[in-house]
C-alpha cells in the first residue's frame, strides 16, 4: 500500500534528476548561508533552482532549462526581465554614478509620475523597500495622532519587521474568535509589547471590523490593510469592506494606510482606483522600481508634512539608498511604459489563467481554484470560497503536501511560481504563455491524480 512518502519521494526524485546542477550548487550555498539562500520567501524543499540569466518572460537555470516566469520576483517585474528601456536607463545612469546623497531630477520625475496616477498621493517619500515604506507610514501615523496602537488584518503582510508580521499565518488553535482575533507572533522573535500594540482585525468582515475599530478608536494611530491579501493567497477585499475601513477611520481620526506594494499594478491608479477608496497614506514598492530595490510612502500633504525636515519634530527618516538614482532610472523607465492598455493586457491574461485553472481542476475531478485580481493570482486546493486568511490557511492545511508537490511538478514542466502557488503575469507575456501554464497544470494533475486518490482522497471533487 502506498504512503504519502511515496508520492513525495517520486516527485522529489523527478525534480532532483531534472535540477541536478542546482542540486550540486545548493550544497556549496548551504555552507555559506543557513538553508542555502538569503531570502526565506524564495526557499522551498528540496531546494530551489539556481538562475543564471533571464530575459522577458523567461528564466534560464543552471541546468540549461528555459522556464516561464509567473513569479516575476514576487510581482515586482511588471515588464518581465531585462526590459530593454530599463536596461538602457540603468546603464546610462550607472555611468554617471550610482548614488550621491543629494536630490536628483530622476527622483522628481518618478515622484511626479506616481503622484499623477495614484489618487491618494499628493506627496511622497521614497524608501529602499516596501518594508521600510509601511514602517515609515506607521511611524508617521503614530506621530500625527499621538496614539500608539495599530490595527492590521489577520493574514496581512507588510514586510519583515515585528508588527508587520503579527498574525501572518495564525494556526487554528492560536487564532481566537473571528470577532476578536488574537495577536499571534509569527516566530519567537516578536516581543510581547508589539503583540499588545497590535489589534488584529478579521478581513472582509465589515460589521465585526467596524465594531473593533470603534472599541479601540481612542488608542489607534493607524489601520493598515492590503486591498488583496497577497502572501495569504491573493484574496481580494470586498469594496464594502474597504469602504467601511475608510469611513470608520475617518470618523475616528485614525490614519488609514493602504498597502499597495503588490496591488499598484491592478489598474493605472492602483487598487484604490479600482475600489474607489482613497486612503490617507499609500505604501508602494515592487513595480515602481522597475526591478531594482524600492519602496515609497505617500499621502496627503498634511500627513506627509510629518517628514518635513523643517518641522520642529519631524519623523526621522534617513535610509542610505532611498531615492538612489539607479532605482529611480529603472522605475521611471518601467512606469513610463506602463499604460492602461498593457495593464488591461496583463489583467486579461490573469483572468484567462484563473479560468483555465478552474476548468483544469474540474476536468480532473480534483478540488482547486485560483483567486486574485487582475494580473495577480493564487491557486488554492479547495472548492470552498476563499474570503479571508482563515479560509486560505484551512485550505493549505487540508491539502497537506499536495500544494508543494504541485509547485515542483509545474516547475519541472517549465512554469515558475511562488512555492505557495502565487502566479502573476507580465507585459512580456502572451496568451500562449498562459496556455502553456494551463497545459503544464493539466499534465501535472494527471500525473498526481493516482497519488491524490491514494493519499489525499478528500481533495477529490
Ligand atoms: C503587501 C506587501 N507589503 C510590503 C511588502 C514588503 O516589501 P519588501 O519586500 O520590498 O520589503 C511586501 C512584500 O512582498 C508586500 O507584499
Amino acid at each position: 500500500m502506498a504512503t504519502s512518502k511515496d508520492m513525495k519521494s517520486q516527485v522529489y526524485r523527478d525534480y532532483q534528476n531534472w535540477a541536478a546542477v542546482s542540486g550540486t550548487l545548493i550544497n556549496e550555498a548551504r555552507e555559506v548561508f543557513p538553508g542555502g539562500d538569503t531570502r526565506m520567501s524564495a526557499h522551498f524543499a528540496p531546494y530551489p533552482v539556481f538562475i543564471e540569466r533571464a530575459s522577458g518572460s523567461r528564466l534560464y537555470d543552471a541546468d540549461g532549462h528555459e522556464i516561464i516566469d509567473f513569479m516575476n520576483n514576487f510581482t515586482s517585474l511588471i515588464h518581465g526581465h531585462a526590459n530593454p528601456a530599463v536596461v538602457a536607463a540603468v546603464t546610462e545612469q550607472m555611468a554617471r554614478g550610482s548614488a550621491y546623497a543629494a536630490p536628483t531630477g530622476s527622483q522628481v520625475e518618478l515622484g511626479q509620475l506616481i503622484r499623477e496616477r495614484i489618487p491618494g498621493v499628493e506627496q511622497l517619500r521614497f524608501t529602499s523597500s516596501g518594508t521600510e515604506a509601511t514602517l515609515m507610514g506607521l511611524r508617521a501615523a503614530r506621530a500625527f495622532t499621538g496614539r500608539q496602537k495599530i490595527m492590521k488584518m489577520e493574514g496581512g503582510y507588510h514586510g519583515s519587521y515585528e508588527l508587520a508580521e503579527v498574525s501572518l499565518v495564525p494556526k487554528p488553535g492560536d487564532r481566537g474568535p473571528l470577532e476578536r482575533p488574537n495577536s499571534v507572533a509569527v516566530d519567537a522573535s516578536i516581543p510581547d509589547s508589539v503583540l499588545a500594540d497590535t489589534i488584529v482585525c478579521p478581513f472582509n468582515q465589515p460589521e465585526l471590523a467596524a465594531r473593533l475599530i470603534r472599541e479601540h478608536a481612542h488608542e489607534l494611530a493607524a489601520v493598515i490593510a492590503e486591498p488583496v491579501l497577497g502572501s495569504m493567497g491573493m484574496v481580494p477585499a470586498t469594496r464594502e469592506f474597504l469602504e467601511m475601513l475608510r469611513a470608520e477611520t475617518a470618523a475616528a481620526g485614525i490614519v488609514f494606510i493602504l498597502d499597495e506594494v503588490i496591488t499598484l499594478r491592478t489598474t493605472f491608479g492602483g487598487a484604490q482606483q479600482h475600489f474607489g477608496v482613497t486612503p490617507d497614506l499609500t505604501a508602494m514598492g515592487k513595480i515602481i522600481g522597475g526591478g531594482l530595490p524600492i519602496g515609497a510612502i505617500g499621502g496627503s500633504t498634511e500627513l506627509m508634512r510629518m517628514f518635513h525636515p523643517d518641522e520642529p519634530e519631524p519623523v526621522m527618516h534617513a535610509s542610505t539608498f532611498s531615492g538612489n538614482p539607479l532605482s529611480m532610472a529603472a522605475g521611471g523607465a518601467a512606469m513610463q511604459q506602463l499604460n492602461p492598455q498593457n495593464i488591461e493586457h496583463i489583467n486579461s491574461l490573469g483572468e484567462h489563467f484563473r479560468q483555465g485553472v478552474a476548468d483544469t481542476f474540474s476536468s480532473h475531478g480534483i478540488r482547486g481554484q485560483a483567486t486574485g485580481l487582475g494580473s495577480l493570482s493564487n491557486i488554492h486546493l479547495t472548492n470552498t470560497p476563499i474570503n479571508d486568511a482563515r479560509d486560505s490557511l484551512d485550505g493549505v492545511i487540508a491539502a497537506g503536501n499536495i500544494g508543494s508537490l504541485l509547485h515542483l511538478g509545474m516547475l519541472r514542466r517549465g512554469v515558475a511560481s511562488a512555492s505557495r502557488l502565487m502566479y502573476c503575469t507580465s507585459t512580456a507575456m502572451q496568451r500562449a504563455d498562459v496556455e502553456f501554464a494551463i497545459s503544464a497544470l493539466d499534465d501535472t494533475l494527471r500525473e498526481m491524480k493516482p497519488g491524490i486518490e491514494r493519499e489525499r482522497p478528500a481533495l477529490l471533487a
Side-chain angles (χ1 to χ4, degrees), residues 266-461:
T266 52
T267 77
F268 196 62
Q272 57 196 265
Q273 187 181 59
H274 172 78
F275 287 105
V277 170
T278 305
D280 299 310
L281 289 175
T282 302
M284 295 160 277
K286 302 208 192 261
I287 65 164
I288 62 166
L292 267 64
I294 203 163
I297 183 80
S300 67
T301 307
E302 187 195 10
L303 257 167
M304 291 305 291
R305 205 169 163 84
M306 301 306 300
F307 295 111
H308 198 307
D310 294 342
E311 282 291 299
E313 287 184 39
V315 171
M316 179 61 191
H317 177 229
S319 193
T320 306
F321 292 104
S322 279
N324 77 80
L326 293 178
S327 296
M328 298 299 108
M335 292 302 284
Q336 273 156 21
Q337 291 174 72
L338 192 62
N339 55 41
Q341 291 73 38
N342 52 24
I343 292 176
E344 174 52 36
H345 171 67
I346 59 174
N347 287 352
S348 76
L349 293 181
E351 275 154 34
H352 188 50
F353 175 80
R354 289 189 287 280
Q355 187 58 55
V357 166
D359 293 345
T360 308
F361 274 97
S362 147
S363 74
H364 286 281
I366 298 172
R367 291 176 189 268
Q369 60 179 307
T371 58
L373 182 69
S375 56
L376 301 164
S377 303
N378 208 106
I379 293 180
H380 299 263
L381 294 167
T382 170
N383 285 345
T384 307
I386 309 279
N387 291 314
D388 63 14
R390 295 182 183 209
D391 296 335
S392 181
L393 284 169
D394 290 347
V396 171
I397 292 166
N401 64 6
I402 303 298
S404 59
L405 301 184
L406 177 65
H407 166 250
L408 291 176
M410 293 286 280
L411 188 52
R412 190 161 59 77
R413 287 167 176 81
V415 179
S417 69
S419 57
R420 61 173 189 258
L421 301 176
M422 185 271 288
Y423 295 73
C424 75
T425 49
S426 78
T427 65
M429 287 180 173
Q430 302 304 330
R431 217 172 147 93
D433 298 316
V434 173
E435 303 288 356
F436 185 91
I438 298 301
S439 75
L441 178 65
D442 184 44
D443 204 33
T444 309
L445 290 180
R446 184 171 301 109
E447 183 181 77
M448 289 178 71
K449 182 142 185 205
I452 292 173
E453 280 169 344
R454 280 194 315 268
E455 298 168 16
R456 284 272 158 185
L459 286 189
L460 298 173

Side-chain angles (χ1 to χ4, degrees), residues 13-320:
R13 210 165 26 242
D14 291 344
Y15 178 78
Q16 282 160 334
N17 287 337
W18 176 78
V21 175
S22 287
T24 307
L25 293 172
I26 197 76
N27 288 332
E28 200 180 330
R30 282 175 180 146
E31 298 287 319
V32 191
F33 310 114
D37 199 357
T38 57
R39 256 169 114 177
M40 197 75 111
S41 50
H43 175 76
F44 55 84
Y47 54 82
V49 289
F50 278 66
I51 302 299
E52 292 194 334
R53 68 189 174 87
S55 174
S57 60
R58 300 309 201 251
L59 299 165
Y60 299 90
D61 76 357
D63 286 85
H65 304 118
E66 179 179 309
I67 301 166
I68 306 186
D69 190 7
F70 280 85
M71 159 97 95
N72 291 297
N73 193 28
F74 282 91
T75 78
S76 59
L77 294 156
I78 197 151
H79 302 301
H81 299 272
N83 174 267
V86 172
V87 172
V90 173
T91 309
E92 192 275 334
Q93 176 59 53
M94 191 65 204
R96 290 190 288 119
S98 58
Y100 317 125
T104 61
S106 58
Q107 179 172 256
V108 179
E109 279 165 29
L110 184 55
Q112 281 171 338
L113 187 149
I114 292 170
R115 204 172 67 142
E116 280 160 17
R117 292 186 183 190
I118 312 303
V121 178
E122 288 173 10
Q123 284 199 317
L124 68 156
R125 268 287 171 107
F126 284 114
T127 61
S128 299
S129 65
T131 293
E132 189 188 332
T134 61
L135 176 63
M136 295 316 300
L138 296 177
R139 287 183 55 192
R142 282 185 166 137
F144 187 78
T145 59
R147 303 174 189 157
Q148 287 286 310
K149 296 197 178 180
I150 306 291
M151 175 178 281
K152 77 175 287 286
M153 303 301 125
E154 191 168 40
Y157 178 67
H158 305 290
S160 283
Y161 57 99
E162 294 93 336
L163 190 152
E165 291 178 305
V166 170
S167 291
L168 180 60
V169 276
K171 296 192 184 80
D174 297 338
R175 290 174 193 161
L178 184 64
E179 60 275 18
R180 196 178 296 279
N182 293 335
S183 294
V184 182
V186 73
D187 56 39
S189 76
I190 311 296
D192 291 346
S193 57
V194 170
L195 297 177
D197 271 348
T198 312
I199 311 293
V200 176
C201 178
F203 190 69
N204 270 344
Q205 296 284 346
E207 280 168 26
L208 300 182
R211 208 180 306 150
L212 264 188
I213 292 174
R214 285 180 195 172
E215 189 179 315
H216 292 280
H218 61 287
E219 54 186 355
L220 276 178
V223 171
I224 185 167
E226 296 162 88
V228 179
L229 286 181
S231 69
M232 198 37 62
M234 293 301 168
V235 184
T238 62
R239 185 182 297 269
E240 185 195 4
F241 183 65
L242 291 179
E243 282 173 351
M244 178 281 307
L245 291 182
R246 174 64 289 183
E248 292 291 332
T249 49
I254 300 164
V255 177
F256 179 36
I257 307 177
L258 206 57
D259 182 347
E260 293 239 45
V261 169
I262 285 187
T263 55
L264 210 70
R265 55 165 45 232
T266 52
T267 77
F268 196 62
Q272 57 196 265
Q273 187 181 59
H274 172 78
F275 287 105
V277 170
T278 305
D280 299 310
L281 289 175
T282 302
M284 295 160 277
K286 302 208 192 261
I287 65 164
I288 62 166
L292 267 64
I294 203 163
I297 183 80
S300 67
T301 307
E302 187 195 10
L303 257 167
M304 291 305 291
R305 205 169 163 84
M306 301 306 300
F307 295 111
H308 198 307
D310 294 342
E311 282 291 299
E313 287 184 39
V315 171
M316 179 61 191
H317 177 229
S319 193
T320 306

